[in-house]
Amino acid sequence: MVPQKNILIIKTIFYSTVLMLFLLIFQACSKPDHARIKSDSLVIEFNQSMQSRIVVSVDGRDSALGDYRDSEKLVTKAGQDLTYTLSRINTESFSDNSGAGEKTVLEGERPGLKKIVTVSIYNDFPDMAVFEVTYTNTSRESLETLGWENNSYNLAAPARSEAGDPAFWAYQAASHQDRRDWILPLKPGYNEENYLGMNSSDYGGGTPVTDVWNRNSGIAVGHLEMVPKLVSLPVESDENENVKLGVSYSREGTIEPGASLTTIRTFVYLHTGDFFVALEQYRNFMIRQGISFDPYPESAYEPVWCAWGYGRDFKMKQIYGALPKAKELGFKWAVLDDGWQTAEGDWFLNPDKYPNGVKDMKRFTDTIRKAGLRPKLWWAPMAVDPGTKLLEEHPEYALLNKDGEYQKISWWDAYYICPAYEPAREQTRKLVRTILEDFGYDSLKIDGQHLNAAPPCYNPAHHHARPEESVEAVPGYFKMIYDTAREIVPDAVVEICPCGTAYSFFTMPYMNQPVSSDPLSSWQIRLKGKTMKALMGRNVPYYGDHVELSDNGDDFASTVGIGGVPGTKFTWPVGSNSRPRNDLTPEREKSMKHWIQVYQEQMLPKGNYRGELYDLGYDRPEAHAVQKERSMYYAFYAESFEGELELRGLENGQSYKVRDYYNDTEQGTVTGPNGRIEVNFAGNLLLEAVPVVD
């Protein structure tokens, strides 16, 4: 017989074992196997391995845009395939300086590493999910890393709704020396890193958002930091036109035992239509975080004549001779372009053109005013030529690369001045005062592809805490210029022309006249205009640049129709320069005078650019719309088009009289919300729809 005491021990062991097994089974069953984060039409699904995918929810029906993938990933030097097991999910309400919303925290583990993904959705931005990811080394060994990826998604190619449609279009934000289109259809095999650092010696930076869309939906990803960061926004299209996009950061580092690495804040935004609303919502979120834009002055909407038609070797008598004609045609600004200075960096007045120095320059600006125009001066800050007095006396101003060499600015064979070095900034501030106070200018045309970004600086004289301080200091450098100029001339126009680069969003608050920036085509004028209306406000005085850079050198319609400010670099009289393309012939003069009159009558830049109404990728003919009070203005562009146009954005049930406002011809009557009209045109058609008053 078994003793009673032993029976008790056996029972205790049995019940303890059963209890432990129950707890283990309970723990296993209680671990989440997926997570679903939903807000309005945006749904993000995570599986048990913490992979995710984007799902569109329309009228209660869900449709996944692609397969699950490692959307948030730590890249290690050893190249491990880091897989995690989702262990915990917590959802709670939150409130911060950007607003209130709901936050979901997902925790996952693998041997030696813990991963926490925090997804925040703000009530005021329901289709945007903000991500922050932390990796903690729970092992006893150091972990060597190469970087990280966030918001990396697969998008499956949709079924074609129309023959010849590309599967996707994309807005891409990086800057390149070839000055490529910012918006393009994605072809099979397309692969672009979209690095927001330097992509050549003096081309870099951009807006930290990339957007990919089709006829049904689109996804934008990017970062929400307040200064530029050296991230990439890669976009890749495979042979079947399926797309991958995301945010990635490459930098070697080490996570010591017990330490953590936290990514910058990134986001994904779901939308319909083209890129416009996504960029506008990014702008709105950045404003909520503290970035601000001043109201645009009336002066920034005035049409521009520029003396660049005469080139660097201009003669003062040429400019004096053209001023009355510029005034007669309706232009309000006269710009003195490159060639007035002895060298970039020194910015001394060229004695061949201004033998009496400042006295001659002041006489010139006074003459511009007497002619009925206002003076603006071309300038390329942050550049210094070899052999200049500035570089000789202050070699410490220069930005140095890791190898101790100067960073080259190719166009002028110049070098970078470090925007983070305070003595160099102070020298720039003094020059702004010289231009506006001593020379007598009212505005600045700031020019050069190098203005968009700066490389990391390793100059030991600057005592940077991090080389990236120069990268992040560029916006502050331009804020100093902008604030100084506006202090001297309250309605000063500060134009920044980064020569074809994809503008850096971070400098946009410190200019009040963006420009199409040496466009390679009329298409670029229009796509850049739509981009600037999204990022700088629907009423931004976007300058279409010299009309001579447009298709055929005469396409004012691409600027005026989208709500842009017109400009020219015409030369007069005919034969007064060596560039016949710039000659103001009698035919050109007649056309230009009419376009400026049309512009001044309509003044569309002050209206509400309705970028959400038409898709720049898929709608044909290409269409843009501007609203002024209750009237709507439409611009259509095509090599040729015959058929029915849809006039969107009209008031429901309201009748409108439609007029071709360039040719002043009636086009009939339509009724909102979407009026239809039969047309036949080549090149462009500009329409005005005015409500019919009973």
Side-chain angles (χ1 to χ4, degrees):
M1 178 179 285
V2 180
Q4 188 69 26
K5 183 178 179 181
N6 290 348
I7 291 174
L8 228 97
I9 292 171
I10 291 169
K11 283 183 176 180
T12 301
I13 293 172
F14 172 76
Y15 287 127
S16 296
T17 303
V18 169
L19 181 61
M20 284 182 64
L21 286 171
F22 175 78
L23 289 172
L24 288 171
I25 292 169
F26 177 79
Q27 273 188 331
C29 292
S30 66
K31 280 188 177 180
D33 61 359
H34 75 283
R36 180 179 170 87
I37 301 171
K38 185 179 188 308
S39 176
D40 286 7
S41 59
L42 172 65
V43 180
I44 306 172
E45 293 182 341
F46 288 85
N47 63 18
Q48 192 175 20
S49 299
M50 297 189 78
Q51 298 173 316
S52 79
R53 66 180 182 179
I54 301 295
V55 176
V56 179
S57 180
V58 180
D59 297 329
R61 298 180 61 184
D62 290 351
S63 175
L65 298 184
D67 298 329
Y68 285 103
R69 66 175 280 115
D70 290 319
S71 49
E72 287 70 47
K73 178 180 178 181
L74 184 66
V75 183
T76 66
K77 205 166 188 178
Q80 302 108 307
D81 183 13
L82 301 179
T83 58
Y84 303 83
T85 300
L86 182 63
S87 59
R88 185 171 177 268
I89 303 171
N90 180 57
T91 300
E92 60 184 26
S93 298
F94 77 96
S95 180
D96 60 23
N97 291 336
S98 299
E102 190 168 84
K103 177 185 298 183
T104 302
V105 181
L106 301 92
E107 296 184 12
E109 298 178 3
R110 58 165 283 109
L113 198 60
K114 183 177 181 180
K115 177 180 180 179
I116 299 177
V117 179
T118 302
V119 183
S120 303
I121 298 181
Y122 291 81
N123 297 336
D124 293 338
F125 299 88
D127 292 321
M128 175 186 286
V130 180
F131 280 64
E132 191 170 73
V133 186
T134 298
Y135 301 92
T136 301
N137 185 353
T138 59
S139 75
R140 297 182 178 180
E141 303 291 332
S142 298
L143 180 61
E144 304 294 325
T145 62
L146 295 177
W148 49 262
E149 297 176 8
N150 276 7
N151 303 109
S152 181
Y153 303 111
N154 287 326
L155 303 179
R160 301 295 198 278
S161 59
E162 291 187 17
D165 267 0
F168 293 98
W169 279 75
Y171 163 80
Q172 300 188 74
S175 298
H176 300 277
Q177 195 167 4
D178 60 10
R179 304 184 181 188
R180 64 191 62 173
D181 292 344
W182 305 349
I183 299 162
L184 72 168
L186 295 182
K187 298 179 180 179
Y190 182 86
N191 191 346
E192 182 56 60
E193 183 183 5
N194 286 310
Y195 177 52
L196 297 188
M198 304 305 295
N199 291 306
S200 61
S201 66
D202 47 356
Y203 283 81
T207 292
V209 182
T210 194
D211 189 281
V212 174
W213 75 93
N214 57 41
R215 282 188 176 274
N216 302 314
S217 60
I219 288 181
V221 299
H223 81 67
L224 294 168
E225 298 300 304
M226 299 293 280
V227 293
K229 295 293 181 181
L230 298 178
V231 301
S232 296
L233 300 168
V235 174
E236 181 179 348
S237 176
D238 66 19
E239 64 277 5
N240 296 316
E241 298 184 272
N242 302 307
V243 169
K244 290 191 295 186
L245 77 163
V247 183
S248 67
Y249 178 73
S250 297
R251 183 172 183 175
E252 292 188 18
T254 303
I255 308 177
E256 299 295 346
S260 299
L261 179 152
T262 299
T263 69
I264 64 175
R265 293 211 308 166
T266 61
F267 73 91
V268 58
Y269 179 80
L270 181 68
H271 63 92
T272 56
D274 66 19
F275 65 98
F276 179 84
V277 173
L279 291 188
E280 187 175 57
Q281 287 295 83
Y282 164 75
R283 161 193 157 88
N284 292 339
F285 194 91
M286 295 299 285
I287 290 173
R288 187 68 65 88
Q289 291 193 132
I291 284 180
S292 62
F293 289 79
D294 289 336
Y296 297 115
E298 290 290 321
S299 55
Y301 294 94
E302 301 289 5
V304 181
W305 174 77
C306 181
W308 185 236
Y310 295 108
R312 281 196 183 103
D313 298 326
F314 66 85
K315 303 293 189 295
M316 293 303 298
K317 65 179 182 180
Q318 293 173 317
I319 301 175
Y320 282 125
L323 290 175
K325 183 59 68 175
K327 169 63 176 175
E328 178 188 333
L329 292 177
F331 293 95
K332 304 295 185 181
W333 285 101
V335 184
L336 180 63
D337 214 289
D338 188 5
W340 60 268
Q341 75 285 1
T342 56
E344 285 75 40
D346 281 347
W347 304 109
F348 302 140
L349 294 175
N350 185 329
D352 294 335
K353 296 169 181 175
Y354 311 97
N356 297 307
V358 174
K359 183 179 179 181
D360 282 350
M361 180 60 88
K362 186 64 169 62
R363 183 171 69 89
F364 174 62
T365 55
D366 287 344
T367 302
I368 291 174
R369 289 189 178 86
K370 288 176 183 176
L373 297 100
R374 296 182 70 182
K376 180 193 286 191
L377 186 65
W378 175 93
W379 177 40
M382 219 159 70
V384 58
D385 291 346
T388 52
K389 183 177 179 181
L390 181 71
L391 203 56
E392 179 185 342
E393 294 181 352
H394 296 286
E396 73 278 8
Y397 285 6
L399 182 149
L400 297 182
N401 295 326
K402 195 170 186 178
D403 59 6
E405 296 296 323
Y406 294 120
Q407 177 84 2
K408 189 78 175 289
I409 298 173
S410 60
W411 185 255
W412 295 291
D413 294 324
Y415 305 131
Y416 273 86
I417 287 174
C418 180
Y421 187 52
E422 186 54 39
R425 291 166 73 119
E426 180 58 30
Q427 184 267 343
T428 301
R429 184 184 291 108
K430 289 179 180 177
L431 184 56
V432 174
R433 290 198 167 275
T434 296
I435 292 171
L436 299 184
E437 291 179 338
D438 299 342
F439 294 176
Y441 283 90
D442 285 345
S443 294
L444 299 170
K445 174 184 177 179
I446 300 174
D447 190 31
Q449 67 272 9
H450 69 289
L451 303 172
N452 213 46
C457 179
Y458 295 85
N459 192 328
H462 301 173
H463 304 291
H464 296 313
R466 298 173 296 113
E468 292 83 5
E469 284 187 354
S470 57
V471 178
E472 298 170 4
V474 172
Y477 181 85
F478 284 103
K479 182 179 187 302
M480 173 270 295
I481 293 173
Y482 177 82
D483 289 345
T484 304
R486 300 266 288 181
E487 175 189 333
I488 300 167
V489 181
D491 70 340
V493 175
V494 179
E495 171 194 345
I496 298 181
C497 176
C499 300
T501 61
Y503 271 92
S504 169
F505 175 78
F506 302 99
T507 60
M508 290 181 185
Y510 313 122
M511 61 177 168
N512 50 29
Q513 191 177 72
V515 58
S516 63
S517 186
D518 300 314
L520 302 180
S521 65
S522 290
W523 161 245
Q524 285 197 349
I525 293 171
R526 301 191 298 269
L527 71 85
K528 291 178 180 182
K530 185 163 190 173
T531 301
M532 292 303 171
K533 298 285 185 178
L535 291 171
M536 293 189 68
R538 297 184 177 209
N539 68 332
V540 65
Y542 164 72
Y543 172 36
D545 214 330
H546 311 140
V547 71
E548 292 79 9
L549 298 173
S550 67
D551 293 353
N552 302 315
D554 63 358
D555 185 12
F556 275 113
S558 282
T559 293
V560 174
I562 67 169
V565 178
T568 176
K569 57 178 178 178
F570 76 74
T571 55
W572 187 86
V574 173
S576 62
N577 80 103
S578 59
R579 300 170 176 83
R581 180 182 175 92
N582 300 327
D583 277 341
L584 186 67
T585 62
E587 296 77 19
R588 285 194 70 206
E589 180 176 344
K590 181 179 179 182
S591 173
M592 194 174 293
K593 187 171 185 177
H594 183 57
W595 273 113
I596 300 305
Q597 181 181 351
V598 167
Y599 169 74
Q600 291 172 333
E601 287 172 352
Q602 308 301 340
M603 198 53 69
L604 295 186
K606 294 183 180 180
N608 174 21
Y609 178 81
R610 298 290 302 278
E612 77 281 8
L613 292 178
Y614 295 96
D615 187 321
L616 201 55
Y618 291 102
D619 282 331
R620 291 293 176 266
E622 178 190 336
H624 301 257
V626 178
Q627 182 175 1
K628 291 193 73 178
E629 297 180 347
R630 295 182 65 197
S631 296
M632 292 291 295
Y633 295 82
Y634 300 91
F636 297 94
Y637 304 93
E639 186 173 339
S640 63
F641 179 82
E642 183 176 2
E644 186 179 73
L645 293 179
E646 186 176 62
L647 307 185
R648 302 173 186 169
L650 303 172
E651 296 176 26
N652 190 25
Q654 174 68 52
S655 295
Y656 292 79
K657 289 183 65 176
V658 181
R659 179 177 71 100
D660 175 341
Y661 65 81
Y662 177 76
N663 294 301
D664 193 21
T665 56
E666 300 298 325
Q667 301 291 311
T669 302
V670 299
T671 302
N674 296 319
R676 288 173 169 78
I677 184 172
E678 290 288 334
V679 300
N680 185 349
F681 73 90
N684 62 77
L685 178 64
L686 308 183
L687 299 177
E688 172 192 62
V690 178
V692 176
V693 180
D694 295 333

